[in-house]
Amino acid sequence: PLRKGSGYTAGHAADFLTCADPWYMALHVKSGPDGGVYVSDWTDTGECHNYDRVDPSNGRVFKITYGEPKAWKGDLSKLSDVELVKLQTHKNEWFARQARRILQERSAVNKRDAGTDSLLKKRLIDANKPAEVLNYLWALWCTDSALEVLPGLLIHQNENVRAWAFRLLLEVPSYDVPLREFSKAFDDTSPAVRLAVAGALQRLPARQRIAMLIKLLKHVEDEVDANLPLMLWYAALPLANSDSAAALDVARSSRVSIVRRSIVRRLVEQVDANPKLLPEVIAMLRQEAADSARLAILQGMEEGLKGRRQIATPTGWREVYAVLREGESPDVRKAAAKLAVTFGDAEAIALLAKLVRNPGIEIATRHEALQALLIPQDASSMALVKELLDDPAMRGTAIRALAAFKNDGTPKMLLAIYPKLNDAEKADVIQTLAARPAWALALLDAMESKQVNRADVSVFVARQMQGLKDKQVQDRLTKVWGQIQPASKDRLEQIAKYKKLLTAETLKEANLANGRLIYSKNCASCHKLYDDGGNIGPALTGAQRSNLDYVLENMIDPSAVVARDFQVTKIETASGRTINGIIKLETDKALTLQTPNEVIVLPKDEIESRSQSALSIMPEGVLQKLTPDEVRDLVAYLASKDQVPLPKSP
C-alpha cells in the first residue's frame, strides 16, 4: 500500500501500522532506534516484481518517520542487567528487543547477574499491561528461566498472554505435558489461544496429539476461522500418514469440515497400499447423519480418488449410496452421484446423463454432471459429448472434452459446425484440434481453404502445433500460418511504436469504461484486477500498471521473463494427445493442468512424457489485434487507480 506513486498518504500509513493482524505486523514491520518504522514491501510471483529486471523506483523496504528523527548513538551492551531489564518497558520496541538479545548472550556464557531472573519474574508479576507481561516473559524465555511462571499465565485475563504461555510450554523439550493443564485451552473462548495450541501441537509426537486434537476440533465456530482449520489439519496430517485408526477417530470427532475432508482425502490416496481404508471411510460415512459431515467425507473421497478413471465398487458403498441419493441435501446427492460414477454404478450414470440432457436444469449443475461422466472416458461418455455439440449451453464443454478421445472423426465433426460458433467456442475448437498431429493437419487445411481465419489461431496455439514434433505439421504450419518468430526480435521496435502512440495527452482522452470492456474480453479470463478475473496468470492489482514501459514489455513479449509458477509444461499422453498448460497441482496419482481454456485432471499413468517450456501461457500479439483507440483505452484502464463501471452499451 505504501508503494511510490500509489496515492497512499501518511494517514494510510498510520492505518497500516495499526493493522489488527499480528502475523502481518510481525512479518512486515520493524522499529529502529531513532523511532522510525521499517516496512518491507510485499512480493507476488510474476507481475508485482520482475526477478531479472529490477525497477529502482519501487524499493523493497520503506522507512516511515514522524517529524525530524534524531539518530541514536550508544552501546546497549555496556548497560547492567538491571538497566537492560528496565528497557523492557521502553516506548520504542527496538530497545526492548536489543536488551533481550544481550541478556540471552550473557546467559549463554554465564555472565548474567544472579538476581536478574528474580527481577524479571517480579516485574512480570507486577506488570499491568499485557505488552509488558509479554516482554518480561520473552526475556525470561531468552534466559531459559520461564518454565516456573508459565503455568500461572495459563489463566491470565489477556488472551495473548495465555496464548504465549501455552505455546512456550509446548516448546519445552523436557516438559511432560499434562492434559489437565491444557484443558483450559480446549475450552478457551479465544480463537487466538486455540490457534497457539494448534500450532504448537506440531512439536509433539503424533500419538501425543490425538486427545488434544479431538478436544480442539469440538469447536464448531472454528469452521469459519481464517487460520485454525488448516493449522489443525497440519497437526493431524502425520496421523493420516501413519496411523489410520487414530486419524479416523480424529475425523469422526471433528466439527471442522476442512480437517475431516483432508483426513479422508489423505487416507483414500493410500488405498493402493491399504485397500481396507476405503471401506473404513465408507463405514464412517454410514454413521454420519449430518449433511455437512457427509459432504466433507464425500468431497475428501472425490479428491483422494482423482487420477483414477474407474475402480471396483468398494464394500459398503451400495448401501450408503441408497441412503445418500434420497437425502434432502442437493450437494450431498450430487457429490455421491459423482463418486458412484467412479465406482461404475450404472444407475448413477443414467441419472447424471439425464441431468446433462435436461435444458431446464441449472447450467452449472449440468456442467458438473458432465464433468463427472467424463472421468471414465468410455464409449458412452464419447457418445454423450457428440450429442451435446448441438446444445448451445453445453457446446463449449463438449468441444473441450473431445480432445481427450482418440477419434479420427473429430476434426470433420468440429469443422462442420465451426462457422456457426461464437468466438469462445471457436477458440475451443482450435485448441482441441491442435492437440494431435492428424487433427492439426485438418485444422491447417481448413485455414488454407479459408474455413478458419488465420487470425483465429494465436501464437500460443501455433507454438503448440510446432511442438507436436511432426515434420508434416511443421511444414504445413510454416506455409499456411507463417514463420513463428520470437517476439524479442522486434520487441524494441514495437515498444517504440506504441510509446509514440500512447503519449500522456493521448491517454487523457481514453475511455476507461471501454478499456475495461476490452480488458474483460482479452485479459480477464487469466488475470485478476480489482478482485475481478481469473487466476491462471498473476494478479495485476499490485503490478506496476502505471509504468508504460513495464506494461508494453509484458504485453508485447510475455515470454521475456516467466516466473517459475507460470511456466508452461508440455504433456504428451499415451493416446497421442499433446497438452500445454501450467501445473496447478500434482499428487502421486494425478496432474492438474491449467490450459488457456480449461482445467484438466490427468492420471499420471496416461502420461508418456513431460517437459517444461520457457514460454509464457500468455499469447503474444494481444495489442496487434486492437485498433489504436482500443490500445489507448486498454492501457489507460490498466493504469487507473480505481475500478470503473463497464459501458452501458457496447
Side-chain angles (χ1 to χ4, degrees), residues 262-528:
S262 299
I263 289 175
V264 170
R265 172 184 59 78
R266 187 68 192 103
L267 292 175
V268 171
E269 286 174 345
Q270 303 171 64
V271 295
D272 290 339
N274 187 355
K276 294 181 180 179
L277 286 175
L278 196 50
E280 288 176 354
V281 168
I282 291 172
M284 178 174 66
L285 178 61
R286 183 170 57 245
Q287 295 165 1
E288 291 291 349
D291 284 332
S292 58
R294 288 174 171 178
L295 183 61
I297 295 171
L298 291 168
Q299 290 172 337
M301 292 174 65
E302 180 189 353
E303 291 167 3
L305 292 173
K306 274 187 178 177
R308 292 172 169 85
R309 293 291 181 202
Q310 200 167 47
I311 62 176
T313 306
T315 303
W317 171 255
R318 296 187 190 281
E319 295 81 2
V320 170
Y321 182 54
V323 174
L324 297 179
R325 70 187 179 192
E326 303 299 331
E328 295 183 0
S329 168
D331 291 334
V332 170
R333 293 198 302 270
K334 284 191 293 185
K338 288 164 68 176
L339 274 172
V341 172
T342 303
F343 297 146
D345 189 309
E347 187 177 344
I349 292 171
L351 174 64
L352 289 180
K354 186 177 179 180
L355 283 177
V356 169
R357 292 187 176 100
N358 188 346
I361 299 293
E362 186 183 29
I363 292 296
T365 301
R366 296 177 69 193
H367 278 279
E368 195 173 353
L370 178 58
Q371 292 299 335
L373 291 172
L374 290 173
I375 292 174
Q377 287 191 4
D378 53 15
S380 62
S381 55
M382 174 69 177
L384 179 60
V385 166
K386 287 182 179 179
E387 181 184 328
L388 294 174
L389 291 176
D390 294 326
D391 187 334
M394 302 297 291
R395 186 182 291 135
T397 303
I399 292 169
R400 295 190 294 272
L402 282 171
F405 297 92
K406 189 177 181 180
N407 182 2
D408 294 339
T410 294
K412 182 178 180 180
M413 189 166 33
L414 291 180
L415 291 170
I417 63 173
Y418 190 84
K420 68 178 184 181
L421 302 180
N422 59 38
D423 288 346
E425 292 166 345
K426 287 180 178 179
D428 286 333
V429 168
I430 291 169
Q431 190 72 37
T432 295
L433 295 181
R436 302 174 187 271
W439 297 4
L441 288 172
L443 172 61
L444 292 166
D445 288 343
M447 290 170 62
E448 190 171 34
S449 65
K450 310 298 183 186
Q451 185 180 359
V452 173
N453 192 327
R454 178 189 179 280
D456 291 349
V457 179
S458 69
V459 177
F460 181 86
V461 175
R463 289 191 191 280
Q464 180 169 320
M465 287 192 284
Q466 190 180 53
L468 293 173
K469 297 179 182 177
D470 185 288
K471 188 176 186 307
Q472 192 177 359
V473 171
Q474 290 179 351
D475 292 344
R476 295 279 291 140
L477 180 66
T478 301
K479 178 183 176 183
V480 175
W481 191 88
Q483 190 72 35
I484 301 176
Q485 297 288 347
S488 56
K489 285 196 172 183
D490 60 350
R491 176 170 60 88
L492 295 177
E493 183 180 328
Q494 287 191 53
I495 289 175
K497 166 191 164 185
Y498 284 110
K499 285 184 74 172
K500 187 176 180 179
L501 168 69
L502 299 168
T503 63
E505 291 74 20
T506 301
L507 290 173
K508 286 180 181 178
E509 300 173 1
N511 182 334
L512 296 184
N514 189 51
R516 181 181 176 186
L517 181 64
I518 297 165
Y519 174 86
S520 67
K521 290 181 178 179
N522 293 276
C523 317
S525 61
C526 293
H527 295 284
K528 183 171 287 188

Side-chain angles (χ1 to χ4, degrees), residues 57-207:
S57 69
N58 287 279
R60 293 295 195 189
V61 179
F62 297 88
K63 184 178 181 182
I64 304 169
T65 59
Y66 176 79
E68 293 294 330
K70 296 180 181 179
W72 177 83
K73 294 180 181 179
D75 186 353
L76 295 182
S77 65
K78 294 180 179 179
L79 298 180
S80 67
D81 283 7
V82 172
E83 290 172 312
L84 292 174
V85 170
K86 288 180 180 179
L87 286 178
Q88 295 309 300
T89 57
H90 197 285
K91 65 180 181 180
N92 185 344
E93 178 63 20
W94 182 87
F95 287 93
R97 288 177 181 268
Q98 297 302 316
R100 287 198 295 273
R101 175 183 59 79
I102 296 168
L103 287 171
Q104 183 178 31
E105 291 169 353
R106 291 179 182 177
S107 178
V109 294
N110 295 318
K111 290 187 176 181
R112 195 172 74 254
D113 293 344
T116 302
D117 290 347
S118 298
L119 178 60
L120 282 169
K121 291 172 185 175
K122 184 178 185 307
R123 291 291 184 95
L124 183 150
I125 294 170
D126 294 340
N128 294 317
K129 297 179 180 178
E132 293 179 2
V133 173
L134 286 174
N135 274 359
Y136 290 126
L137 175 60
W138 294 331
L140 284 166
W141 181 255
C142 289
T143 60
D144 296 325
S145 307
L147 187 55
E148 182 183 329
V149 300
L150 286 174
L153 296 178
L154 298 178
I155 56 173
H156 196 278
Q157 61 182 0
N158 182 267
E159 63 178 357
N160 293 303
V161 174
R162 297 198 304 275
W164 270 101
F166 283 114
R167 180 185 292 123
L168 294 179
L169 266 181
L170 285 169
E171 287 192 14
V172 180
S174 61
Y175 188 66
D176 185 15
V177 183
L179 198 60
R180 63 179 182 277
E181 286 193 4
F182 284 85
S183 62
K184 306 178 186 74
F186 307 142
D187 299 325
D188 202 300
T189 57
S190 168
V193 174
R194 298 197 298 276
L195 179 63
V197 176
L201 282 183
Q202 297 181 54
R203 298 181 178 276
L204 297 180
R207 292 289 304 174

